[in-house]
């Protein structure tokens, strides 16, 4: 491998688009293999798209949008508008990343589906407090 390609990092736009593909695929309950089959690709190629390791061509992104039943613009939501010259707010970018990471886990997706069904705000708050306490506990070093 040449020095130019060794250690190259994926373009942030490719990472964003790939993350949105992964999020939408998971929200629809579609496996990488199923998406790949519908696009005439291997599941490894879909993996590379989702990781941002390979760029998605315009025609393939159109096919992905059609398969996942979203407008092509869905994959660019959350990115700064290149015509405005303004950068996306770092807080908004962080929130988008957190939501994407959460929804791409099977447990996160299920939690997102069932959590709103908890009708009482007090109970939802207790669930949140429990999850926070568990996360804090997981962060603490074990004492022998």
């Amino acid at each position: 491998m040449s020095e130019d390609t060794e250690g190259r990092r994926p373009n942030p736009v490719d990472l964003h688009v790939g993350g949105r593909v992964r999020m939408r695929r998971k929200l629809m309950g579609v496996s990488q293999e199923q998406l790949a089959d519908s696009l005439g690709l291997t599941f490894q190629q879909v993996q590379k798209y989702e990781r941002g390791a390979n760029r998605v061509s315009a025609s393939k992104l159109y096919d992905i949008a059609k398969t996942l039943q979203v407008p092509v613009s869905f994959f660019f939501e959350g990115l700064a508008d290149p015509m405005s010259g303004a950068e996306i707010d770092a807080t908004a970018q962080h929130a988008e990343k957190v939501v994407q990471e959460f929804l791409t886990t099977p447990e996160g997706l299920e939690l997102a589906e069932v959590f709103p069904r908890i009708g009482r705000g007090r109970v939802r708050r207790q669930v949140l407090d429990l999850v926070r306490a568990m996360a804090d506990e997981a962060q603490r070093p074990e004492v022998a």
Side-chain angles (χ1 to χ4, degrees), residues 27-102:
L27 283 171
M28 292 191 67
V30 174
S31 71
Q32 286 179 332
E33 196 166 274
Q34 290 168 320
L35 179 58
D37 286 346
S38 72
L39 299 169
L41 301 171
T42 64
F43 81 91
Q44 291 94 337
Q45 185 62 47
V46 171
Q47 283 179 328
K48 289 177 182 180
Y49 286 160
E50 290 184 358
R51 285 194 327 259
N54 284 7
R55 290 185 173 157
V56 183
S57 70
S59 59
K60 198 55 74 177
L61 190 60
Y62 182 87
D63 292 341
I64 292 169
K66 187 175 171 184
T67 300
L68 298 179
Q69 303 170 3
V70 291
V72 173
S73 61
F74 169 85
F75 302 108
F76 299 96
E77 288 174 9
L79 288 175
D81 182 350
M83 297 306 294
S84 72
E87 290 298 313
I88 190 163
D89 178 359
T91 304
Q93 197 170 21
H94 175 71
E96 173 79 17
K97 183 178 181 214
V98 168
V99 169
Q100 268 189 8
E101 288 174 358
F102 177 72

Side-chain angles (χ1 to χ4, degrees), residues 71-137:
V72 173
S73 61
F74 169 85
F75 302 108
F76 299 96
E77 288 174 9
L79 288 175
D81 182 350
M83 297 306 294
S84 72
E87 290 298 313
I88 190 163
D89 178 359
T91 304
Q93 197 170 21
H94 175 71
E96 173 79 17
K97 183 178 181 214
V98 168
V99 169
Q100 268 189 8
E101 288 174 358
F102 177 72
L103 291 176
T104 56
T105 66
E107 300 84 5
L109 183 56
E110 187 173 358
L111 272 171
E113 289 174 354
V114 299
F115 190 79
R117 290 192 229 153
I118 301 171
R120 297 178 55 209
R122 184 171 156 259
V123 175
R124 285 196 306 267
R125 174 60 59 189
Q126 289 172 331
V127 169
L128 180 58
D129 290 343
L130 173 65
V131 172
R132 267 196 203 116
M134 293 171 75
D136 289 345
E137 184 66 30

